[in-house]
Amino acid sequence: MALVFELDPAVTPGLRDGVVALWTDVSNAGGSVGFVPPVTPGDVRPELVKHFVAMAEGRTRLLVGLDEEGAVAATAFLTHNTHRLMKHWVWLYTVMVHPRHQGKGHGRDLLAAAEEAAGGLEGVDAIRLTCRGGEGLERFYASCGYKEVGRVPGAIRVAPGDDRDDITMLLPLARRG
Ligand SMILES: CC(C)(COP(=O)(O)OP(=O)(O)OC[C@H]1O[C@@H](n2cnc3c(N)ncnc32)[C@H](O)[C@@H]1OP(=O)(O)O)[C@@H](O)C(=O)NCCC(=O)NCCS
């Protein structure tokens, strides 16, 4: 069943705990969302607080995907640049689908919803993101229209002796009207 996507959901304790649980479960399943397993909700919470601060400051928008029970099943955060010369594109951070929902097309739907959300932002022409090499993620993003525009070799050390490339992907937004 398709997820229901919501931009700028009300930040209730339920939503907060749902995102923490999602981020923790995705990380412990080996997802590339800033951690290596094992992690606890207590590890994840401070990172989410950073996103909430940026949301409160109007720099970040949360896109959430809810499953049929209304549980948080997917997220992506759209973040404006603070640099005055880089206001024409946004970052996409913390793209994740819960492991029990992966492989069913929800990731593609999430990126389509993010593209639509970014397309509705005044003066925003592109979405940029980075992903960890060695996981096939660039293929996932390429299947959603993103192009690799940069790669820093070995920039991410997931473990001693296991350095991964930091890959930059870009999606120019089609202008409407
Ligand atoms: C990456 C992620 C968001 C994809 O979501 P998903 O719901 O599993 O993906 P979909 O079912 O929509 O798959 C879309 C396409 O991408 C491919 N794909 C998905 N994950 C992939 C991966 N890790 N590597 C290579 N291809 C992948 C699918 O095979 C599918 O292609 P197809 O239509 O040709 O079969 C999800 O797997 C996830 O949350 N992973 C853990 C967190 C993470 O690493 N996020 C990336 C942060 S940069």
Side-chain angles (χ1 to χ4, degrees):
M1 202 173 148
L3 301 182
V4 175
F5 292 100
E6 199 180 329
L7 184 66
D8 301 327
V11 179
T12 60
L15 179 97
R16 179 200 59 205
D17 292 348
V19 176
V20 168
L22 169 67
W23 201 338
T24 305
D25 290 351
V26 166
S27 299
N28 284 326
S32 307
V33 279
F35 294 95
V36 288
V39 299
T40 66
D43 298 322
V44 165
R45 213 169 280 120
E47 291 304 312
L48 181 58
V49 167
K50 289 182 197 166
H51 280 317
F52 283 161
V53 169
M55 284 159 61
E57 292 174 353
R59 290 187 286 115
T60 288
R61 316 276 296 264
L62 169 58
L63 176 66
V64 73
L66 304 173
D67 67 14
E68 64 275 14
E69 284 152 15
V72 176
T75 61
F77 293 82
L78 293 119
T79 299
H80 288 280
N81 279 286
T82 49
H83 194 293
R84 69 186 67 77
L85 304 184
M86 296 187 183
K87 300 219 184 247
H88 58 297
W89 55 272
V90 289
W91 287 102
L92 196 62
Y93 290 125
T94 325
V95 171
M96 54 190 174
V97 172
H98 195 278
R100 75 171 164 271
H101 293 295
Q102 288 175 12
K104 300 177 194 159
H106 298 315
R108 204 192 295 281
D109 291 349
L110 173 66
L111 289 196
E115 184 175 345
E116 188 176 334
L121 300 174
E122 185 71 29
V124 170
D125 296 343
I127 302 176
R128 178 171 161 183
L129 60 84
T130 62
C131 65
R132 189 185 295 177
E135 307 285 349
L137 289 165
E138 62 274 42
R139 288 200 301 283
F140 163 65
Y141 288 113
S143 82
C144 298
Y146 289 70
K147 287 207 166 48
E148 181 178 329
V149 292
R151 180 180 282 255
V152 182
I156 304 169
R157 180 156 297 171
V158 296
D162 186 3
D163 291 352
R164 307 293 183 85
D165 293 354
D166 187 24
I167 304 166
T168 301
M169 309 290 298
L170 188 75
L171 179 76
L173 296 170
R175 281 290 108 209
R176 293 172 189 165

